[in-house]
Structure formats: structure tokens, C-alpha cells
Amino acid sequence: MQNKATHKQAFFFTIINYVGILIGIVSTLFIYPKNKEMLGVFRYVESLSQIIFPIMLLGASQALIKFGPKLDNRQEKQLFNYSVISIVIISLFLLTSIGLLSFFPIFKGFKYIYLAFPIAFSLALIDLFKKQATIIQKIAVPTFFDNIVPKLALPLVFILVLNNYFSVDNSLVFYCISYGLIAILIACYLFYFFKPAFNFNFKSLFTEISKTELYRFSLFAFAGSLGSVFAFRIDAIMIPKFLSMEDNGTFSIGVTLASALAVPATGIFILYAPLISNYIKDNAIAELDSKYKEISKLLFFIGALLYSCIFLGIENLFMLLPTHENLMASVPVILILGFNVLINMGTGFNGEIITYSKYFRFNLVAISILIVLNIALNLFFIKVMHLGIEGVAFASLIAMILFNISKLLFIYQKFNILPFDKSYLKLILVFLIVLVTTYYLPIIENNLFNLIYKTGLCLALNLFLIYKLKLVFSYTFWIEKIILKLKN
């Protein structure tokens, strides 16, 4: 029954994410290219908030998933209450620190951090609320609020600025308010099903789990989260510093379109996190190995289908749009970062396996290496090779490949499991053969026809061959179920 609920939540989660992605793609194709410098400013503020909010959170949301299975209903509520109070206290401390630092001349020009702070506070609460919603299998509605509202708010403020109703600074304030609204909406929904009964008495909680254990895990989870943000958001910080806000906008367009690939992975990673935690707690390595292989293969299948279409059709698609002159500069970034996302999807939930095991400290080591690699490679490609935003994309790709290899080797060493098997290798081979074949087919002058026939043929061949070879269990299962219904 719980497995059915999980699949239902995964379905709605994916649909909501794709609606959000669709809104983002439409905005990216038709609205954002009209002012790429302004887009660069917004992405810069967002990246600053993404760096601040893990400090406010301090690993609290991961602790809910980690320790939740050990607690009864009352203690689970106490842990949630404790996490909310911690976020508020840490945020007040950070705000005071920022205020004091503003007196020093070196921070005088750092105005965007004041706009990033309220977004970061909202993000910390949103992340905590969503993790609790995940535990009670109520993630779909919070996902709707979290994914849809910002994607409606940003194009709205763009339109207002482009039509001279708002200044850029006023639009940033409006955008901050939208995140506060999301936090309030998710809280109202969550508290309808989950009554936290806020109080400051945590005595029974710490009889079940020790403060030392909770703090140790939270600190390592925090270090991993902050490291992940530095590793994956450093691009949007470095591009304005070494290139320009307009380049940051161009890069952001590439990131937005490439991120469409990651939607199925995001939903599955969040929804399966409690299951992975339980497998590891129960030492059910055989079940963990089976799920690891199944999900990794499924995610690679979905990601490779989408990436093949992007690889073959993105330039033809852009040429059909009125904003194509401003979009074409993002094509190399889309292809490089799209491959980056595909690799991350194809290696499955290796990060979750490490996070919820006794080896969670390794995440800190791996993330630290990734940060150093990413910064060093960014500097090399920007300052030495002068490759601009394409160099930034290559830096992310190389760092991510090495990062995933390190996690795969570590998991194999500690658990003796890998996400790959023979059918996975056959799957890769099918995609490569179909992609190369369709790529070298004759090019038609008409962009629309070329887009349809190449991407359509690629999709049809992949779907047919993978079904016939029965390489992906979930896909085969659903196709056979549909065929059976049609026959009946």
C-alpha cells in the first residue's frame, strides 16, 4: 500500500515539476532573452541565497529523514519543532553578523546579499517543510507551491520591468516576497496533516537520540549541503565576477533548459530518500542493490531520451523562435550541461546512500574535492583558456564526472554494489548507435521538418529497441500493461 502511495506521489511530483519546467522554458525562450543582464542579476541573487540557506538550515532537514524512522509520533514532532527553532535562531545570528560586517568598507558594495537573505530564510523553511511532507507522503502540493510560484513570479516581474512599471530593484523585492508566500502556503498545507504542537520541551526527544549524535550528523550534512551549493552554484557567482551579468544571463538560459532533464531524478531522489534510509538502517543490502540498479537504469533511460532530442533538435528549435539571435549563444552550454545532468542521473542515488549510512562523512570529503576542482577549472578555462561561459560549462562537466566516480568507487568499496549491470551497458550502446545514426542522416533545409523528423525518428527507434530488448523494467512493464488493456 505504501509502495502504491509512493508511486502516486512520484507521478504527481514529476507532473508538477514538468509543468514548472514548461513555464520556465516558455519564459526562457520568449521573455528572459529580452534582458539577459537583468536575468543575470536575478540568478546572482538566487545563488547568494542558495549559499546562505544551508547555513540557516544546518543539516536540520536531512536529520528529519535520518532520525525519523527511529522516533515515535510525539518525538518526531519534537524533532521538527527543534529544527524550526534552530533555523530562526541561526537566521537571527546571521542577520546580526551581516549587519555588523556592513560597517567594514570591503562589504559596502555587496548590496545583493540583503535581498538574498529573506529568500534564503524562506528556502530554509521550505526545505524543512518539504522533508517533513516527504516523510508523511504528502509531497505533491508543496512541490506545486515551490516549483510553480517562483516560475510565475519571475516572468511577471520581467514583464513589469520591460514595460517600465517596475525598476529592477523593486522587482527584486517583489521576487523576495513571492518566496515568503511559498513558505506560508506550504506551512498551511503541511500543518493540516501534521500538527507540530510547538513547545520548547525536548527532553523525551533526547532520551531516544543523543544531542551529540544529532549535532554530529547535522554538521556533516550541513557541510555537505553547503559544499554542494558552492560546487553547483559557484558558476553564477564567478561569471559576474570574471565575465559579466549578461554572460551570467546567457549561462542561466542554458542551465534552465538543461535542468529539464533532471526533473524525474529530483522527484525520485526525494521520494525514495526514506526508503534508502530504512534499507541502510535494516542492513538490507540486497534490496538496496536491486533498487539502486533499477532506478539508475530508469533515470538514464529517461535522461538519455530527452538529451538525444535536445542534441539533435535544439538549434532547429531556436531558429524557429523570434528570440533566436539571443538564444543561440546558449546552445553549447545547454549541450555540455545537459550531458552533465545525464551523468548525474545515470549514477542513481549514490549521494543518498552515503548520506544515510554511517559513512556520511565521506560526502564532506567528496564535496570539498568538487569545490576545489570546480573553482580551479573555472579559473583555468576563463582566465587561461579564455573560453568564457563554455569554459565554465566544461569545468562543471569535468568536476561532476570525477565527483560521481569518487562516490561510485566509495559505495562499491563499502557496500559492494554498483548501479550498472549488463543490461545497463546494452542500454548505453542502443542510445549511442541511434544517436549517431540519426545525427548523420541528411539535413533538410526546413528547420521545422528537420526538427520533427530527426527527433521523432530518434525517439521511435530508442523506444522500440529498448522495449524489444527489455532493458528497462519499469518501461517494459507499463508498455505491456497498455498493450494488454488494448487487447482486452
Side-chain angles (χ1 to χ4, degrees), residues 280-299:
I280 292 170
K281 180 174 69 75
D282 299 336
N283 198 34
I285 304 303
E287 290 85 350
L288 178 64
D289 182 34
S290 175
K291 189 62 65 177
Y292 191 25
K293 287 179 168 60
E294 177 192 339
I295 299 302
S296 299
K297 202 186 304 178
L298 174 63
L299 288 176

Side-chain angles (χ1 to χ4, degrees), residues 118-401:
I119 296 178
F121 180 69
S122 299
L123 286 172
L125 292 176
I126 289 166
D127 192 66
L128 185 74
F129 295 161
K130 285 180 70 177
K131 285 294 192 297
Q132 187 61 54
T134 301
I135 292 171
I136 63 172
Q137 295 291 309
K138 297 291 181 182
I139 191 62
V141 173
T143 301
F144 174 82
F145 291 138
D146 187 28
N147 279 10
I148 303 301
V149 174
K151 288 182 173 64
L152 292 174
L154 187 55
L156 176 60
V157 297
F158 251 80
I159 291 169
L160 291 172
V161 171
L162 291 171
N163 289 280
N164 299 315
Y165 290 109
F166 268 10
S167 67
V168 174
D169 288 341
N170 287 339
S171 66
L172 284 165
V173 172
F174 180 88
Y175 195 55
C176 292
I177 293 171
S178 72
Y179 275 94
L181 176 64
I182 295 166
I184 292 169
L185 290 172
I186 293 176
C188 292
Y189 176 79
L190 174 64
F191 297 158
Y192 180 80
F193 298 99
F194 176 80
K195 312 293 184 185
F198 288 107
N199 62 70
F200 296 91
N201 182 9
F202 304 109
K203 187 175 180 180
S204 65
L205 171 65
F206 293 116
T207 58
E208 183 64 32
I209 57 174
S210 71
K211 279 189 178 182
T212 304
E213 185 184 6
L214 175 64
Y215 293 161
R216 184 185 294 118
F217 176 82
S218 296
L219 285 171
F220 273 98
F222 152 70
S225 297
L226 185 62
S228 294
V229 171
F230 269 111
F232 302 120
R233 290 277 178 171
I234 197 67
D235 305 333
I237 302 296
M238 294 185 74
I239 292 172
K241 176 70 175 175
F242 295 104
L243 298 169
S244 68
M245 284 294 184
E246 185 174 347
D247 284 328
N248 200 31
T250 302
F251 189 83
S252 173
I253 290 171
V255 171
T256 300
L257 296 176
S259 66
L261 295 172
V263 175
T266 304
I268 289 172
F269 288 161
I270 290 175
L271 288 163
Y272 277 93
L275 183 64
I276 301 307
S277 179
N278 284 328
Y279 279 153
I280 292 170
K281 180 174 69 75
D282 299 336
N283 198 34
I285 304 303
E287 290 85 350
L288 178 64
D289 182 34
S290 175
K291 189 62 65 177
Y292 191 25
K293 287 179 168 60
E294 177 192 339
I295 299 302
S296 299
K297 202 186 304 178
L298 174 63
L299 288 176
F300 179 81
F301 164 67
I302 297 170
L305 276 178
L306 296 173
Y307 184 76
S308 298
C309 293
I310 291 172
F311 187 87
L312 292 169
I314 192 69
E315 290 190 23
N316 294 122
L317 175 63
F318 282 179
M319 289 304 296
L320 295 170
L321 303 176
T323 52
H324 68 270
E325 289 183 4
N326 291 329
L327 287 169
M328 292 304 289
S330 298
V331 170
V333 175
I334 295 167
L335 296 179
I336 297 166
L337 293 183
F339 190 66
N340 192 350
V341 171
L342 179 59
I343 289 171
N344 203 40
M345 290 174 68
T347 51
F349 39 67
N350 47 25
E352 284 72 16
I353 292 174
I354 296 170
T355 297
Y356 299 119
S357 73
K358 63 182 179 180
Y359 307 111
F360 58 86
R361 295 173 184 83
F362 177 77
N363 269 340
L364 181 58
V365 177
I367 288 289
S368 300
I369 294 169
L370 179 59
I371 294 169
V372 173
L373 270 173
N374 216 345
I375 293 174
L377 288 168
N378 268 303
L379 290 172
F380 174 73
F381 283 118
I382 294 172
K383 302 295 286 184
V384 179
M385 300 300 292
H386 303 290
L387 290 178
I389 56 174
E390 290 180 33
V392 176
F394 275 121
S396 295
L397 175 61
I398 295 168
M400 180 56 69
I401 290 172

